[in-house]
């Protein structure tokens, strides 16, 4: 019951974060003064949703010292996602190769998580587990988004400045 509640809690969180990204995509694109980025940004945010619906048993692998499965899940999906990206880069020769590769990596991770750590989600609302998860997670709702911004701030701001230099808006 706890894993079911955790999975649904995480899935709802992923849906909310994806929808927030979907709505904010035009604002992000306008930050770069490139409205055509909106579609790309919206597609890229699918990775956040896919990451949120992994098997909850996958998060327990390291705790139970199943490092082989953990490495296989994370590194295996990363390797296959990279291969997909490289193959698509040679065939598509555009930004979609990178975006599809990234989203494919998380889609593969989703598939592997249920293959390596079987779990069949069933919705059964348990008030006690929900409250426990809510109290634990309420301060961490947007952690993935904030972590991404923290680690990629230089790229985000650099992308804006480089674009401005190339367009002659900044010297």
């Amino acid at each position: 019951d706890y894993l079911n509640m955790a999975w649904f809690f995480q899935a709802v969180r992923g849906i909310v974060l994806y929808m927030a990204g979907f709505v904010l995509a035009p604002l992000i694109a306008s930050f770069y003064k490139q409205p055509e980025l909106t579609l790309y940004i919206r597609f890229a945010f699918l990775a956040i949703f896919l990451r949120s619906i992994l098997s909850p048993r996958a998060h327990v692998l390291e705790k139970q010292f199943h490092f082989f499965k953990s490495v296989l899940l994370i590194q295996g999906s990363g390797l296959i996602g990279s291969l997909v990206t490289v193959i698509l880069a040679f065939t598509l020769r555009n930004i979609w190769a990178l975006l599809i590769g990234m989203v494919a990596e998380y889609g593969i991770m989703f598939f592997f998580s249920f293959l390596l750590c079987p779990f069949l989600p069933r919705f059964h609302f348990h008030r006690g587990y929900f409250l426990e998860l809510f109290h634990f997670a309420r301060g961490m709702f947007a952690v993935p988004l904030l972590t991404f911004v923290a680690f990629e701030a230089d790229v985000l701001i650099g992308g804006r400045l480089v674009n401005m230099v190339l367009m002659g808006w900044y010297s």
Side-chain angles (χ1 to χ4, degrees):
D1 284 344
Y2 188 81
L3 287 178
N4 276 311
M5 192 89 269
W7 188 84
F8 279 100
F9 193 86
Q10 187 73 1
V12 169
R13 178 178 166 264
I15 290 168
V16 169
L17 287 174
Y18 174 74
M19 294 308 295
F22 190 89
V23 169
L24 292 174
L27 295 173
I28 296 168
S30 71
F31 172 76
Y32 291 105
K33 299 190 185 312
Q34 307 258 336
E36 64 274 6
L37 290 178
T38 301
L39 178 63
Y40 302 135
I41 294 167
R42 287 177 171 165
F43 185 80
F45 271 113
L46 282 173
I48 291 175
F49 171 69
L50 288 170
R51 176 85 176 163
S52 73
I53 57 173
L54 297 178
S55 169
R57 292 181 193 248
H59 300 291
V60 184
L61 289 175
E62 289 182 24
K63 181 181 177 192
Q64 295 176 342
F65 299 110
H66 295 285
F67 296 115
F68 178 75
K69 283 185 176 182
S70 180
V71 168
L72 186 62
L73 175 65
I74 296 167
Q75 301 302 323
S77 59
L79 179 63
I80 294 171
S82 295
L83 288 173
V84 167
T85 303
V86 169
I87 291 168
L88 288 174
F90 282 112
T91 57
L92 297 178
R93 298 185 183 273
N94 61 30
I95 189 68
W96 282 107
L98 296 172
L99 292 170
I100 293 169
M102 179 186 69
V103 172
E105 177 181 341
Y106 287 104
I108 292 162
M109 187 182 289
F110 164 75
F111 175 75
F112 278 172
S113 75
F114 282 91
L115 185 68
L116 295 171
C117 312
F119 177 77
L120 181 62
R122 295 178 271 102
F123 186 74
H124 174 72
F125 187 80
H126 189 283
R127 188 173 190 270
Y129 292 153
F130 175 79
L131 290 174
E132 184 178 333
L133 287 165
F134 181 77
H135 288 301
F136 174 75
R138 69 178 170 202
M140 297 173 36
F141 189 78
V143 167
L145 189 58
L146 295 175
T147 301
F148 174 78
V149 170
F151 284 112
E152 301 295 333
D154 57 335
V155 174
L156 296 171
I157 295 169
R160 166 72 187 249
L161 294 177
V162 167
N163 189 25
M164 292 170 74
V165 169
L166 293 176
M167 300 299 273
W169 298 330
Y170 184 79
S171 57

